[in-house]
Amino acid sequence: SQKIEQNSEALNIQEGKTATLTCNYTNYSPAYLQWYRQDPGRGPVFLLLIRENEKEKRKERLKVTFDTTLKQSLFHITASQPADSATYLCALDMSLIKAAGNKLTFGGGTRVLVKP
Amino acid sequence: DVKVTQSSRYLVKRTGEKVFLECVQDMDHENMFWYRQDPGLGLRLIYFSYDVKMKEKGDIPEGYSVSREKKERFSLILESASTNQTSMYLCASSFQGIQPQHFGDGTRLSIL
């Protein structure tokens, strides 16, 4: 069955360092992948979308890579700050039949804690 | 800014009750979604709708139904609430195609 895996262990990182999160998937070839941020008690907030023909996407201090051969996406937060502390979710459209619905399947998320 | 509004932040209901969760979006999005989020299980899709009066089952539709009579409003209905439906419920909306989803802040539902 299709599966999306993110490291369930929290990532503790010192302020100023780069945080790197992984998202692995199996048994599917998605056309795109999305990353979201979720703060406690809030809904996820969209960060970045990367398509299968894009190797890398950047937005301010965030960088996402997408390796369709390895079936993996990496999410980097450079020069991390305590305000970056949150849970980060990856999501793929894993529906077998592509409707207009943009139906996403989410990974379990990785919690990031940036220490001052 | 897109706003997705869920009618309640916290809700407590009793087993067997019929429960309605309401969601409204203000960006004329075609697609709307209902998820539940549980510790260790992540976000799971219950139902989604890509047009008025259209609905499709997600990964865990059992025990739930939905209604979309107007484009901006998507309702989740628990026909007969059970304790295993205690969860955080999140609504989202998006345009059609490869687009980000915009989430509400969730309804924490407790079934006693």
Side-chain angles (χ1 to χ4, degrees):
Chain A
S1 63
Q2 296 126 354
K3 208 171 171 184
I4 303 172
E5 289 183 346
Q6 294 186 255
N7 192 343
S8 57
E9 287 185 22
L11 179 64
N12 292 303
I13 192 162
Q14 202 64 38
E15 183 176 7
K17 301 292 186 184
T18 297
T20 298
L21 287 65
T22 60
C23 175
N24 297 299
Y25 58 93
T26 60
N27 300 333
Y28 195 66
S29 297
Y32 62 96
L33 185 149
Q34 301 187 21
W35 283 90
Y36 290 77
R37 168 187 173 137
Q38 187 174 23
D39 293 287
R42 306 298 298 272
V45 174
F46 170 76
L47 295 174
L48 282 164
L49 182 153
I50 185 165
R51 298 170 188 260
E52 60 178 337
N53 60 351
E54 298 174 314
K55 294 297 181 191
E56 183 179 297
K57 201 85 171 274
R58 290 177 186 260
K59 178 183 175 183
E60 296 172 356
R61 295 183 294 108
L62 307 179
K63 185 178 87 171
V64 171
T65 63
F66 192 11
D67 190 324
T68 54
T69 303
L70 292 179
K71 294 187 182 295
Q72 181 182 77
S73 175
L74 298 179
F75 178 84
H76 306 271
I77 307 171
T78 59
S80 59
Q81 303 169 1
D84 295 326
S85 298
T87 297
Y88 292 87
L89 308 168
C90 69
L92 295 89
D93 185 344
M94 302 187 88
S95 49
L96 295 176
I97 300 171
K98 298 293 182 188
N102 185 23
K103 178 186 163 188
L104 296 177
T105 299
F106 284 81
T110 299
R111 195 159 70 92
V112 173
L113 180 60
V114 181
K115 296 180 179 176
Chain B
D1 258 3
V2 176
K3 196 159 177 66
V4 178
T5 304
Q6 295 185 229
S7 52
S8 306
R9 288 283 275 152
Y10 301 94
L11 205 53
V12 179
K13 295 291 183 180
R14 297 218 171 266
T15 304
E17 278 192 72
K18 191 169 186 176
V19 181
F20 293 85
L21 301 183
E22 306 285 347
C23 175
V24 177
Q25 51 96 1
D26 66 357
M27 278 302 290
D28 205 34
H29 286 162
E30 294 88 3
N31 301 332
M32 295 190 76
F33 309 84
W34 275 107
Y35 296 88
R36 64 178 282 178
Q37 188 171 32
D38 301 286
L41 296 175
L43 268 168
R44 293 179 293 166
L45 182 65
I46 305 171
Y47 266 99
F48 71 102
S49 167
Y50 53 87
D51 202 352
V52 175
K53 296 193 187 295
M54 303 301 291
K55 61 184 180 184
E56 287 203 19
K57 292 179 180 179
D59 300 315
I60 51 164
E62 296 79 18
Y64 303 95
S65 63
V66 290
S67 172
R68 193 163 179 206
E69 296 296 319
K70 293 185 177 182
K71 191 173 186 180
E72 67 271 17
R73 187 178 295 271
F74 193 35
S75 303
L76 179 69
I77 304 154
L78 286 65
E79 297 290 344
S80 178
S82 64
T83 54
N84 64 9
Q85 292 178 310
T86 291
S87 186
M88 169 69 90
Y89 288 87
L90 288 156
C91 174
S93 69
S94 77
F95 288 115
Q96 285 186 358
I98 300 174
Q99 296 288 338
Q101 292 186 11
H102 300 268
F103 285 82
D105 277 336
T107 295
R108 189 165 290 283
L109 175 65
S110 295
I111 307 295
L112 305 178

